[in-house]
Amino acid sequence: MTTDNSQQRSQQRSPLAGIRVLDFSQALAGPYVGRIMADLGADVVKVESPTGDMTRHWGRRQAGMAGYFLQWNLGKRGLCVDLGTDGGVELVKQLASKADVVVENFRPHVMEKFGLGYDALREINPRLIMASISGFGADSPEAGRGAFAPVVHAETGLIARQAKASGGEFVDIESSVADTNTGLHTTVAILSALLLRSATGKGQYLDMAMIDAQIATDDIGIYDIEDSLPTRPLGNRVWPIKDGHVLISRDARALWRHLAPEFNLVDDTPKDADLAQKVNNRRRLMCEALCSLPSKAAFVTLMDKLRIPWGDVRESSRLSESAAISHRGIVTEITDPAGETRPVLKMPYRFSAAKSEIRGFAPYLGEHNRQVCKDWLDMDDEDIHALHDSGTLIQASR
């Protein structure tokens, strides 16, 4: 007798079960790390100041929770500590002594000013892995500069490249890729450090610079770095068809070789024309051919026949129209404390013998002060009440 899929999943182990993470970060790069680790089973405690993460004010509010904050802090527990009080730093040190990982994305050396830098924490916990995320790196001559994703997009060439490709003005890209790339690389580094610690018994410090992570993840940037742009494939183009627009992922020269015999296209560009005129003429002929197809279904049939990858150009609000996205369920719903549902995004990890899952709602400010102090430090109610009374711990109303 075999169990069904839901029973199998309930019996599977989360890969990071038993790992404890203190997440001091805000905005996106750091919280992204914590969100990934929470979905993979780690006990992630988000440590906030009394003013809270700035993203608590971003997005639609429902049940006292902003949508942007919700997305990147699902499954975490919330602790609100005032580091300006006598007991705040001491409490964090106690928690760090029980942690496996600390993640922070203050400007370099801010944690040291509180007495919570890596050198101080490793004296308490030699097995601790601490990841510090900054815009330009802790040892950089520009270490003191603040950075959000758009700053890194500008510094690493993304904005200039986009303007050059589109013939348009300099504008930021509409996705915080420098943040998410940094979050992914930081997670890889942390998991690698955890694996190494299992062999050596020692923790370590990870200096993660957003500018490094973005450059290391930019596959097109290498053409500029080695001055070989003419050798890259021609950029993918968006084409109009009967029922909308599609991106065809094929070098324009190769696409011409596919479409010309299908539609009996003849390049009638004058022999003395320059390359730009030849390219534009062929593009016009291909565009006319694709627009002549009677329906979207005819276009799909042609692409399948020619084995050419393509994609619908759609807005994010229409993700549910994708059969693949709907089937895989990466856009799902979660019930908030008021009993209402709202959409959230799952992490994309699918294991055959382990589980990754959304493990709960995002924390309200200081929501889990009592639980964390009990679970991590075995504190009794009297001590926890004293921390609240002194202003060391703060729990805000929803």
Side-chain angles (χ1 to χ4, degrees):
M1 178 177 175
T2 59
T3 59
D4 62 25
N5 288 340
S6 62
Q7 289 175 318
Q8 290 174 354
R9 284 194 298 271
S10 68
Q11 296 168 0
Q12 290 170 346
R13 180 179 173 85
S14 299
L16 298 184
I19 296 296
R20 287 176 166 177
V21 180
L22 285 177
D23 177 4
F24 287 87
S25 63
Q26 63 175 320
L28 183 53
Y32 197 72
V33 176
R35 168 66 203 282
I36 292 171
M37 297 188 75
D39 274 28
L40 292 174
D43 180 6
V44 181
V45 174
K46 185 175 181 71
V47 184
E48 296 177 81
S49 72
T51 56
D53 188 323
M54 67 179 74
T55 66
R56 285 189 177 276
H57 306 287
W58 298 1
R60 179 171 62 85
R61 294 190 69 80
Q62 180 177 313
M65 181 69 67
Y68 193 97
F69 178 88
L70 171 70
Q71 175 60 43
W72 307 118
N73 293 282
L74 287 164
K76 303 177 186 179
R77 297 198 284 179
L79 189 79
C80 182
V81 181
D82 186 348
L83 294 178
T85 63
D86 292 338
V89 171
E90 179 56 34
L91 177 61
V92 168
K93 286 182 176 179
Q94 291 179 53
L95 292 166
S97 73
K98 305 294 184 180
D100 296 285
V101 178
V102 167
V103 180
E104 60 95 3
N105 65 349
F106 299 111
R107 295 191 192 199
H109 312 303
V110 167
M111 290 291 277
E112 283 90 335
K113 291 178 182 178
F114 287 107
L116 298 172
Y118 177 65
D119 287 341
L121 295 184
R122 71 174 174 178
E123 290 294 321
I124 302 167
N125 182 358
R127 291 173 55 83
L128 184 69
I129 294 160
M130 184 170 182
S132 294
I133 299 171
S134 62
F136 300 92
D139 64 350
S140 163
E142 298 184 286
R145 289 179 60 186
F148 289 102
V151 173
V152 179
H153 298 163
E155 292 274 359
T156 58
L158 292 188
I159 292 176
R161 182 191 307 154
Q162 178 176 260
K164 186 176 181 180
S166 66
E169 60 182 323
F170 293 132
V171 294
D172 189 27
I173 60 177
E174 287 294 312
S175 180
S176 299
V177 296
D179 277 323
T180 51
N181 283 341
T182 303
L184 288 168
H185 281 297
T186 302
T187 305
V188 170
I190 289 171
L191 297 180
S192 300
L194 285 169
L195 183 62
L196 185 60
R197 190 185 70 176
S198 68
T200 66
K202 296 179 181 180
Q204 60 183 296
Y205 178 71
L206 306 173
D207 171 17
M208 302 297 299
M210 293 172 65
I211 200 163
D212 290 349
Q214 181 53 44
I215 291 171
T217 318
D218 182 3
D219 69 311
I220 303 301
I222 188 61
Y223 295 109
D224 290 321
I225 292 170
E226 67 176 17
D227 193 23
S228 63
L229 197 60
T231 69
R232 65 166 289 197
L234 295 179
N236 300 312
R237 288 181 61 86
V238 173
W239 302 82
I241 60 172
K242 267 290 189 291
D243 302 315
H245 288 78
V246 293
L247 181 140
I248 299 178
S249 185
R250 185 59 53 94
D251 182 298
R253 293 162 294 196
L255 185 61
W256 172 262
R257 291 194 293 270
H258 283 295
L259 296 185
E262 287 292 326
F263 292 95
N264 296 316
L265 303 180
V266 177
D267 183 1
D268 56 1
T269 308
K271 291 184 178 180
D272 59 349
D274 60 20
L275 179 60
Q277 185 176 348
K278 186 179 185 70
V279 169
N280 288 335
N281 193 47
R282 286 190 173 187
R283 284 175 176 167
R284 176 183 58 80
L285 292 169
M286 289 190 288
C287 186
E288 291 172 355
L290 292 170
C291 286
S292 73
L293 293 170
S295 65
K296 171 73 170 296
F299 168 81
V300 173
T301 298
L302 176 63
M303 293 297 104
D304 288 346
K305 173 186 174 183
L306 300 176
R307 301 182 64 81
I308 295 176
W310 62 276
D312 275 315
V313 176
R314 63 165 56 90
E315 295 182 0
S316 299
S317 59
R318 296 171 48 214
L319 292 179
S320 61
E321 296 176 10
S322 163
I325 293 172
S326 294
H327 172 75
R328 293 183 68 81
I330 195 165
V331 181
T332 188
E333 290 189 335
I334 193 168
T335 302
D336 66 31
E340 300 294 326
T341 59
R342 64 191 302 173
V344 294
L345 306 178
K346 295 168 66 175
M347 286 293 146
Y349 312 116
R350 301 244 178 152
F351 300 93
S352 64
K355 63 181 178 181
S356 170
E357 60 183 350
I358 296 173
R359 300 174 65 235
F361 205 63
Y364 293 96
L365 189 64
E367 179 181 0
H368 303 104
N369 290 348
R370 180 175 178 275
Q371 289 181 18
V372 172
C373 289
K374 279 183 172 289
D375 293 349
W376 283 40
L377 304 177
D378 294 321
M379 279 191 180
D380 58 31
D381 288 334
E382 184 177 349
D383 289 336
I384 297 170
H385 286 313
L387 289 172
H388 279 101
D389 290 343
S390 68
T392 296
L393 286 176
I394 296 169
Q395 184 168 352
S397 57
R398 295 179 182 177

